Amino acid sequence: FELIVNSNPRLDAYDPETGQLLWHADDQCRVPVPMPVSANGILYTSRGYNSGPFMAIRPGGKGDVTQTHMLCRVATGAPYVSSVLYYQDLLYMATEVGIVRCIDPKTGEAVWVERIGGNFSASPVGAEGKVYLLNEEGETVVLEAGRKCKVLARNALKEVCRASLAVARGQIFIRSDEHLYSIGS
C-alpha cells in the first residue's frame, strides 16, 4: 500500500505503516489542493493554481519517478480546488472559472471542452451514467457521461455551495453554507 499526498513541492508516496517516503514525482507546486484519484492502477491528479497541470502517473518505484512513471502530463487546464473524476473510462474536471473538460485518460487529450458557467470548488461526481457538477452559486449541472457534452439539466438552489455532493442509495446529498439537502427517493 502507498499513501499518496499531493503536496508542496511535489506528489509524494509514503509507506502508511512507517511514514517512510517511497517515491515522488513532478516539480515545484506551491499550492496543490485536489486529492489524487486512482483508477485501474493509475493515479490522476491536478497540481496547482491558475489552470495548472494535470497528470497520470503509475504508482510504485523509488526516489524521483517523474521520468519513469509519468504516463502523461498536460501543462495547463486543470482545476485549482476540485479533484478530477474518473468515470466510465473518461476523466472529468471543472475549473474555478466554469470550464469543464472531458479528457481521454490514456493520452491526456481533450475529448471536449465547454464553458458551462459558474465557479467550481466542488469535485464532479459520477452516478447512473451522469456527471454532476455543483457550482459555488448552488447550481447543479447534470451532464450525460460520454464523449459529447450533453447538458441534461440545471437545478438551482440559489445558495452558496462549495462542498462536493454525495450520491447514496438513490439519493443526492448537497450541503450548502446554510442547509443539507437530500434529493431523491
Side-chain angles (χ1 to χ4, degrees), residues 61-133:
K62 297 285 181 201
D64 187 349
V65 299
T66 304
Q67 299 303 315
T68 58
H69 288 61
M70 188 82 63
L71 303 175
C72 73
R73 184 180 193 280
V74 177
T76 189
Y80 170 48
V81 176
S82 63
S83 298
V84 300
L85 167 67
Y86 184 98
Y87 186 63
Q88 295 185 344
D89 298 323
L90 293 169
L91 285 175
Y92 297 89
M93 51 185 79
T95 71
E96 60 280 1
V97 293
I99 297 173
V100 177
R101 287 178 170 76
C102 176
I103 304 294
D104 182 327
K106 293 177 182 154
T107 65
E109 294 177 10
V111 174
W112 54 261
V113 178
E114 293 290 333
R115 182 172 292 280
I116 298 293
N119 301 314
F120 293 93
S121 292
S123 299
V125 173
E128 297 185 7
K130 298 173 185 73
V131 174
Y132 296 87
L133 306 163

Side-chain angles (χ1 to χ4, degrees), residues 146-182:
R147 299 187 77 80
K148 295 191 185 211
C149 181
K150 182 175 181 184
V151 176
L152 300 175
R154 289 178 176 268
N155 303 302
L157 291 176
K158 298 180 181 167
E159 292 187 39
V160 176
C161 297
R162 293 184 186 94
S164 301
L165 59 85
V167 178
R169 297 183 180 169
Q171 293 184 290
I172 298 172
F173 298 92
I174 298 174
R175 182 175 60 87
S176 74
D177 281 3
E178 301 293 323
H179 298 93
L180 174 63
Y181 293 90
S182 173

Side-chain angles (χ1 to χ4, degrees), residues 2 4-6 10-13 22-27 35-47 54-74 84 86 91 104-108:
E2 296 176 343
I4 310 299
V5 180
N6 195 6
R10 59 194 184 214
L11 189 67
D12 293 323
L22 300 172
W23 59 265
H24 59 89
D26 206 35
D27 54 10
M35 294 293 298
V37 277
S38 176
N40 302 319
I42 305 298
L43 297 171
Y44 300 95
T45 193
S46 62
R47 291 277 298 143
F54 62 94
M55 64 193 66
I57 189 165
R58 185 173 16 90
K62 297 285 181 201
D64 187 349
V65 299
T66 304
Q67 299 303 315
T68 58
H69 288 61
M70 188 82 63
L71 303 175
C72 73
R73 184 180 193 280
V74 177
V84 300
Y86 184 98
L91 285 175
D104 182 327
K106 293 177 182 154
T107 65

